[in-house]
Amino acid sequence: RKGKTPEEVVKKYLQKVKSPPEEDCTICMEPLGGPSGYKGPGVGPVSKAESVGRLAQCGHQYHFQCLVAMYNNGNKDGSLQCPTCKTIYGVKTGNQPAGKMEYHVIPHSLPGHPDCKTIRIIYNIPPGIQGPEHPNPGKPFTARGFPRHCYLPDSERGRKVLRLLLVAWDRRLIFSVGTSSTTGESDTVIWNEVHHKTEFGSNLTGHGFPDPGHLDNVLEELRAQGITEEDALVE
Ligand code: APR
Ligand code: ZN
């Protein structure tokens, strides 16, 4: 863990704002010209000059204390995501539990991808105990339907998606712990924000092939997690 305090992390991504605009902070809904509406533990005092900051890349402005409170509510990994436009500052990581990701090529074609073989990804996550980064620390979580098998065309674009999924796995962004929207079960391992195809030769669940937009959608979902083509080159 890095030695930076939440205030230091947030400050790193901010530019100074001399006179706040006559707008509301969209985190607390209070005017940017006044104090942050967020009060509570972990929110220290802040000088007038530093009460509002502008995120350096996207330009969106918030109360400094609101950003610190938002950061403290997350998994405190040194990254910050603009709540308005989702621009990511730093490297976003998730709270996926420990497990294994494997893949291999199988000599069959997917519906809609007649000219190539298929990549099968196998995710395996055992049940366990929730850590401080999970909704109910100390409580057990279940893990249903593992190993989960997923499919990609073994095309150039499919292999690119695979490389990015490997980065997403390392950053703990493929799964999360929470309430399954399919089963309603809480404290269980669930898919995070990146869609996977879990059906091979049919499409009964809507998570199968053919789906011409699938690879583009996944690339977009990975981008929303801060994972882009450059990540596939460097890692
Ligand atoms: N295959 C792939 N993705 C799915 C599936 C599925 N069978 N079911 C749901 N999803 C997607 C949803 O579209 C949503 O975006 O996962 C996201 C989270 O949905 P949840 O139901 O909360 O996720 P989870 O409980 O993990 O998955 C439900 O997926 O792989 C299967 O075995 C798993 O039956 C379980 C189902
Ligand atoms: Zn605010």
Side-chain angles (χ1 to χ4, degrees), residues 25 27-28 36-37 63 66:
C25 168
I27 298 177
C28 70
S36 160
H63 292 116
C66 287

Side-chain angles (χ1 to χ4, degrees), residues 7 64 129 149 152 222:
E7 282 83 358
F64 175 67
I129 304 292
H149 289 197
L152 289 170
L222 286 162

